[in-house]
């Protein structure tokens, strides 16, 4: 990869237009991308951010058939709901498209046609499940049956939603059609296949060439590579989608009636067609090409973890088969967000829908609160009480309070003008130094896709301002030394000015409001606003220097953030519970049964010791294991533990743990594990560490 990129293309996963999106979707693929692109725009970098509604595939057809509507009616209902919700949440796309448009059909068919003409696709005739009642071949989601892995009786033909195993319809036990509940029969059909098996060496080289990819991404990708890639069908027999090109079907000698492109073939091509549509709307139809051809573009896909394989193996495989096309440089996939301790469930109604939530929650408050809970390294939980605490304790009490006090004092004691700095005290100089360091510190987090760290570092600068203001106590200073009080206010206002830029990616409305109070103008637009001030000169890096001159006029403050009341939290919880039908309520998980009774002498054989984790790191090609180095006081041990799906390595280092110290060593993944960490597993399968407060080596009795 080049040391520097001329431009950046950012994409977010295309949301299915078979329903509205909820806060879990927002946290997974859209809010993190928006933080990133706003940061890049403030840096003055050339960036294009595209997305669009995914309007093909089985999910659309299923909803249409269930509701007695046409697929077009379904997508025309939900596309504007999704688009408006994202726009109202401040997601600043350069272009938001939809895959039902002619430009996408043409782009996807051309892509398919080129792969075929260059000999990269094969056809294969196989037996597939067919519904004799509905007279349709059954695509993945049109089949339900018993999972061969865990025995779940409602598994779909592409994946078991209980155990997560990837499936094909033919693997299900006792399959049945979701369309008619008929027992399907096997019939022959012909489809086109992408040669992923042949592409594995190229894909392995591609993955090895990427830098800084997240462990959860590499873990999932490497598990697929280790298992060996198989050729994948990229067409389907369903009456909704992008038709297989007639010229390709004729050349292949295949009757293409009712055959469409597989949605996971055409959907990522939606990024290409959206970029083409953006270029046409800018008046330069060829402007899309540099973003998809050539190594001087940075390509970043923001997705949830359920889309990792498609964006890291299948779509890159398609791109590698097109000469000179760009493959992704980063795929910062996030884990899943839960809601009040439970999984988001659209079928059970357990969700906070974005378009609906924004009618009651301020967009800036939602962006900040959700931003502090992003599932960047592990599944996270959106808890309403925690959300209230973040908004009230950090946005209102720290940031809003600091800015209000500084501006109010300026208005009342310095005629609304920035007083001179004078000779700064040690504390004032420390605050100015914090301003100087902030852009690189916070920007480094954004550039590395650590959005939570960026938010926390930003609010820490506001805390620095609050503490400086309180410690200096200008209300006392002014009674004895007006110049000293003026210096304090000068530094406080400079902190506010820097924060008004550094906050722009997260709370853009409040940041603009703060700049208006400071009369600070000339900032680059963090949105792709065609009417932006072309003379703007201030950018991200300028937030590291004093931006206000002595004597500059500032305005009296208005409230930046209102607090969230307890009544709101209670009403939202009641709203959630009432949305769940009585017969769809999630059953309380059962306790695990007690194990067989043992004698005391059996227990006494265990040597349990307190240990302290010194090192924690992923085990290559093992997405569940962490390699730990544990200090037992009298010696250090290497222990392999299945914690990677529950904890990030940095969350484990420094913890005191309980170790089964006399367990026989065991070889795992070529490494020796010298003990076992004791964990508590609750009824939902969540792990917590067994508490241990003693010094390393202490015996646990």
């Amino acid at each position: 990869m080049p040391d520097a990129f001329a431009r950046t293309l950012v994409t977010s996963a295309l949301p299915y237009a078979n329903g509205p999106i909820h806060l879990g979707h927002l946290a997974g693929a859209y809010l993190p991308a928006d933080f990133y692109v706003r940061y890049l725009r403030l840096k003055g970098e050339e960036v294009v951010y595209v997305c669009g509604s995914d309007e093909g595939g089985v999910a659309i057809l299923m909803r249409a058939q269930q509701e007695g509507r046409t697929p077009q009616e379904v997508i025309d209902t939900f596309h504007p709901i999704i688009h408006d919700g994202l726009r109202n949440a401040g997601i600043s796309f350069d272009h938001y498209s939809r895959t039902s448009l002619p430009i996408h059909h043409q782009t996807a068919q051309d892509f398919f046609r080129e792969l075929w003409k260059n000999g990269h696709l094969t056809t294969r005739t196989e037996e597939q499940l067919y519904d004799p009642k509905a007279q349709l071949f059954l695509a993945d989601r049109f089949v339900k049956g018993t999972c061969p892995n865990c025995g779940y009786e409602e598994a779909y033909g592409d994946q078991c939603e209980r155990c997560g195993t990837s499936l094909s319809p033919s693997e299900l036990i006792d399959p049945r059609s979701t369309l008619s509940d008929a027992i399907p029969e096997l019939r022959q059909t012909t489809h086109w296949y992408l040669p992923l098996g042949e592409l594995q060496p190229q894909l392995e080289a591609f993955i090895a060439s990427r830098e800084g990819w997240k462990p959860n991404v590499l873990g999932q990708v490497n598990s697929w590579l280790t298992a060996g890639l198989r050729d994948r069908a990229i067409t389907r027999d369903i009456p909704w989608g992008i038709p297989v090109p007639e010229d390709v079907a004729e050349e292949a000698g295949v009757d293409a009636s009712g055959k469409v492109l597989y949605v996971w073939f055409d959907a990522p091509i939606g990024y290409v067609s959206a970029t083409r549509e953006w270029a046409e709307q800018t008046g330069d139809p060829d402007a899309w090409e540099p973003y998809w051809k050539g190594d001087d573009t940075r390509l970043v896909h923001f997705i949830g973890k359920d889309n990792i394989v498609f964006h890291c193996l299948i779509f890159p495989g398609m791109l590698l088969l097109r000469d000179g096309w760009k493959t992704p440089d980063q795929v910062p996939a996030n884990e899943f967000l839960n809601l009040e301790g439970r999984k988001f469930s659209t079928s059970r109604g357990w969700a906070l829908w974005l378009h609906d939530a924004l009618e009651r929650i301020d967009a800036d408050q939602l962006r900040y609160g959700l931003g502090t809970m992003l599932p960047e390294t592990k599944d996270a939980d959106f808890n309403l009480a925690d959300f209230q605490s973040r908004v009230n304790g950090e946005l209102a009490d720290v940031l809003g309070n600091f800015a209000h006090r500084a501006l109010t004092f300026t208005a009342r004691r310095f005629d609304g003008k920035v007083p001179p700095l004078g000779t700064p005290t040690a504390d004032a100089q420390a605050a100015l130094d914090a301003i100087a360091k902030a852009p690189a510190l916070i920007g480094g987090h954004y550039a590395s896709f650590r959005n939570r760290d960026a938010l926390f570092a930003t609010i820490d600068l506001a805390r620095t301002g609050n503490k400086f203001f309180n410690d200096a106590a200008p209300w006392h200073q002014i009674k004895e030394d007006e110049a000293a009080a003026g210096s304090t206010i000068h530094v406080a206002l400079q902190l506010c000015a820097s924060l008004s830029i550094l906050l722009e990616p997260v709370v853009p409305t409040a940041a603009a409001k703060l700049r208006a109070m400071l009369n600070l103008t000339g900032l680059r637009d963090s949105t792709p606003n065609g009417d932006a001030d072309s003379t703007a000169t201030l950018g991200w890096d300028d937030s590291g220097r004093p931006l206000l001159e002595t004597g500059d006029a500032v305005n009296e403050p208005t409230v930046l953030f209102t607090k969230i009341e307890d009544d709101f939290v209670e009403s939202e919880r009641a709203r959630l519970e009432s949305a769940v039908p009585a017969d769809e309520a999630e059953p309380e998980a059962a306790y695990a049964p007690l194990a067989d009774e043992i004698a005391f002498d059996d227990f006494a054989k265990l040597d349990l010791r307190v240990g302290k984790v010194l090192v924690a790191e992923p085990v290559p090609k093992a997405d569940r294991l962490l390699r730990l180095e544990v200090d037992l006081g009298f010696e250090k041990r290497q222990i392999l533990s299945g914690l990677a799906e529950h904890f990030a390595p940095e969350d484990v280092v420094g913890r005191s743990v309980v170790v089964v110290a006399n367990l026989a060593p065991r070889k795992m993944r070529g490494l020796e594990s010298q003990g076992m960490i004791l964990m508590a597993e609750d009824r939902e399968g969540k792990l917590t560490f067994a508490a241990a407060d003693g010094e390393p080596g202490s015996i646990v009795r």
Side-chain angles (χ1 to χ4, degrees):
M1 291 186 293
D3 295 332
F5 294 97
R7 66 192 66 80
T8 300
L9 177 64
V10 175
T11 75
S12 285
L14 307 187
Y16 273 130
N18 68 325
I21 63 173
H22 54 60
L23 298 194
H25 298 129
L26 184 67
Y30 309 103
L31 191 58
D34 193 64
F35 289 164
Y36 180 65
V37 297
R38 285 178 181 267
Y39 160 70
L40 291 183
R41 290 178 186 132
L42 290 171
K43 286 280 289 182
E45 296 193 19
E46 181 182 331
V47 57
V48 170
Y49 178 24
V50 297
C51 189
S53 297
D54 184 349
E55 299 178 329
V58 174
I60 307 291
L61 186 58
M62 287 181 67
R63 179 150 194 161
Q65 293 187 343
Q66 290 166 0
E67 298 179 354
R69 298 200 287 168
T70 66
Q72 190 68 48
E73 288 172 333
V74 170
I75 63 176
D76 287 346
T77 295
F78 291 111
H79 167 75
I81 292 175
I82 294 169
H83 189 195
D84 290 347
L86 290 169
R87 182 173 55 241
N88 293 337
I91 308 303
S92 58
F93 301 114
D94 285 78
H95 186 68
Y96 188 86
S97 188
R98 53 192 305 188
T99 62
S100 62
L101 295 177
I103 191 173
H104 176 67
H105 280 231
Q106 177 199 341
T107 304
Q109 288 178 325
D110 285 348
F111 205 108
F112 183 90
R113 184 180 290 108
E114 285 299 311
L115 293 183
W116 170 256
K117 288 187 178 299
N118 290 317
H120 297 312
L121 303 181
T122 60
T123 58
R124 190 181 305 171
T125 300
E126 294 181 329
E127 289 186 327
Q128 291 188 4
L129 297 179
Y130 182 85
D131 183 335
K133 188 174 180 180
Q135 296 186 338
L136 281 175
F137 280 97
L138 298 175
D140 309 336
R141 303 292 286 186
F142 281 146
V143 188
K144 273 190 176 181
T146 300
C147 173
N149 183 57
C150 72
Y152 181 51
E153 295 180 352
E154 296 294 315
Y156 280 104
D158 59 348
Q159 185 179 50
C160 175
E161 295 188 353
R162 173 175 288 177
C163 69
T165 300
S166 294
L167 301 168
S168 66
S170 61
E171 293 176 299
L172 292 175
I173 301 168
D174 298 327
R176 62 191 186 278
S177 169
T178 61
L179 299 175
S180 65
D181 206 38
I183 297 174
E185 58 189 43
L186 288 171
R187 293 193 184 182
Q188 284 193 339
T189 185
T190 301
H191 286 292
W192 282 260
Y193 280 75
L194 184 70
L196 282 180
E198 295 178 10
L199 281 171
Q200 178 151 345
Q202 289 174 261
L203 287 168
E204 288 177 342
F206 156 68
I207 294 297
S209 71
R210 304 298 89 171
E211 299 175 356
W213 281 30
K214 295 167 70 171
N216 65 324
V217 175
L218 291 176
Q220 193 175 137
V221 168
N222 287 329
S223 68
W224 276 66
L225 293 173
T226 300
L229 299 180
R230 296 180 295 176
D231 294 355
R232 193 176 187 96
I234 56 171
T235 56
R236 291 290 188 270
D237 290 300
I238 58 173
W240 177 252
I242 299 176
V244 170
E246 292 182 5
D247 57 328
V248 173
E250 183 177 347
E251 187 175 326
V254 176
D255 179 5
S257 302
K259 293 189 187 296
V260 300
L261 303 184
Y262 177 38
V263 69
W264 267 114
F265 177 85
D266 90 79
I269 297 173
Y271 303 140
V272 182
S273 59
T275 315
R276 286 186 61 196
E277 194 176 10
W278 161 81
E280 289 183 0
Q281 292 186 0
T282 64
D284 183 0
D286 297 326
W288 70 275
E289 291 204 24
Y291 287 91
W292 284 102
K293 300 175 183 180
D295 289 336
D296 59 348
T297 292
R298 179 196 293 116
L299 176 59
V300 184
H301 296 311
F302 283 87
I303 59 170
K305 66 178 177 181
D306 52 337
N307 291 338
I308 287 174
V309 170
F310 297 104
H311 285 78
C312 298
L313 292 175
I314 296 176
F315 188 42
M318 293 160 54
L319 294 167
L320 286 169
L321 293 173
R322 300 291 303 274
D323 187 38
W325 280 61
K326 180 69 187 174
T327 51
D329 297 284
Q330 260 289 357
V331 186
N334 282 326
E335 300 294 293
F336 289 154
L337 185 75
N338 295 326
L339 175 61
E340 291 284 311
R342 292 158 59 178
K343 292 181 179 179
F344 277 86
S345 174
T346 57
S347 62
R348 294 191 179 101
W350 189 256
L352 275 175
W353 304 110
L354 176 60
H355 70 287
D356 182 56
L358 287 171
E359 294 182 1
R360 303 180 301 279
I361 303 175
D362 175 76
D364 274 1
Q365 291 179 340
L366 181 61
R367 288 171 65 94
Y368 181 83
L370 197 57
T372 65
M373 305 173 192
L374 292 176
E376 293 178 335
T377 57
K378 59 184 178 181
D379 288 358
D381 186 61
F382 183 83
N383 180 279
L384 286 160
D386 290 345
F387 171 66
Q388 176 192 32
S389 177
R390 291 286 189 185
V391 169
N392 293 356
E394 295 173 2
L395 286 185
D397 287 344
V398 174
L399 174 60
N401 183 55
F402 168 57
H404 196 275
R405 295 165 76 195
L407 284 161
T408 298
F409 203 95
T410 305
R412 294 179 180 175
R413 305 309 297 264
F414 292 100
D415 297 324
K417 295 181 180 179
V418 178
L421 173 61
T423 302
T425 63
D427 287 346
Q429 189 58 54
L432 293 171
D433 291 343
I435 291 174
K437 296 174 183 176
L441 172 65
I442 299 168
H445 292 319
Y446 282 128
S448 301
F449 311 103
R450 298 191 303 270
N451 291 293
R452 293 178 62 193
D453 289 343
L455 266 66
F456 296 147
T458 307
I459 204 68
D460 278 347
L461 185 63
R463 287 194 180 95
T464 296
N466 247 350
K467 184 177 186 304
F468 168 71
F469 197 90
N470 286 336
D471 291 348
W475 55 92
H476 291 315
Q477 284 180 318
I478 201 163
K479 296 176 182 177
E480 300 177 357
D481 189 342
E482 183 174 333
S487 290
T488 296
I489 297 304
H490 181 99
V491 172
L493 292 174
Q494 300 292 4
L495 278 161
C496 288
S498 293
L499 284 165
S500 75
I501 296 176
L502 297 171
L503 287 163
E504 176 72 14
V506 186
V507 286
T509 300
K513 194 174 179 181
L514 179 55
R515 289 194 298 275
M517 296 178 200
L518 295 165
N519 282 323
L520 184 62
T521 59
L523 181 68
R524 294 189 188 111
D525 203 331
S526 71
T527 70
N529 184 353
D531 298 326
D533 182 2
S534 60
T535 64
T537 57
L538 289 181
W540 180 265
D541 293 336
D542 293 300
S543 63
R545 63 178 178 83
L547 294 170
L548 303 175
E549 299 288 342
T550 297
D552 283 352
V554 297
N555 299 314
E556 287 204 36
T558 56
V559 175
L560 275 179
F561 303 101
T562 57
K563 289 193 172 185
I564 295 175
E565 302 297 333
D566 293 343
D567 289 348
F568 169 82
V569 174
E570 294 170 6
S571 66
E572 286 300 307
R573 284 180 174 154
R575 187 189 298 268
L576 275 172
E577 295 291 350
S578 66
V580 180
D583 59 349
E584 289 285 351
E586 192 172 76
E588 187 173 359
Y591 287 100
L594 286 172
D596 293 339
E597 187 176 274
I598 63 171
F600 176 78
D601 289 345
D602 293 325
F603 171 75
K605 294 177 183 178
L606 294 174
D607 188 344
L608 304 179
R609 300 292 182 120
V610 174
K612 185 174 183 178
V613 180
L614 304 177
V615 174
E617 59 188 19
V619 175
K621 299 184 179 180
D623 54 358
R624 293 182 175 86
L625 291 177
L626 292 181
R627 188 190 75 84
L628 311 180
E629 292 181 17
V630 182
D631 181 9
L632 292 180
F634 52 88
E635 66 181 20
K636 295 180 176 63
R637 298 269 189 98
Q638 173 177 274
I639 297 176
L640 304 187
S641 186
L643 300 175
E645 292 184 329
H646 301 268
F647 300 93
E650 59 267 24
D651 295 332
V652 179
V653 174
R655 284 185 180 270
S656 291
V657 296
V658 177
V659 177
V660 182
N662 62 336
L663 191 67
R666 178 186 175 192
K667 281 276 189 178
M668 303 169 67
R669 295 285 183 176
L671 300 171
E672 186 175 77
S673 183
Q674 303 161 335
M676 183 173 70
I677 307 295
L678 292 188
M679 306 293 295
E681 182 176 359
D682 67 15
R683 288 178 287 170
E684 303 294 336
K686 182 180 179 181
L687 297 184
T688 53
F689 287 91
D693 294 329
E695 66 175 348
S698 298
I699 298 174
V700 179
R701 301 187 184 279

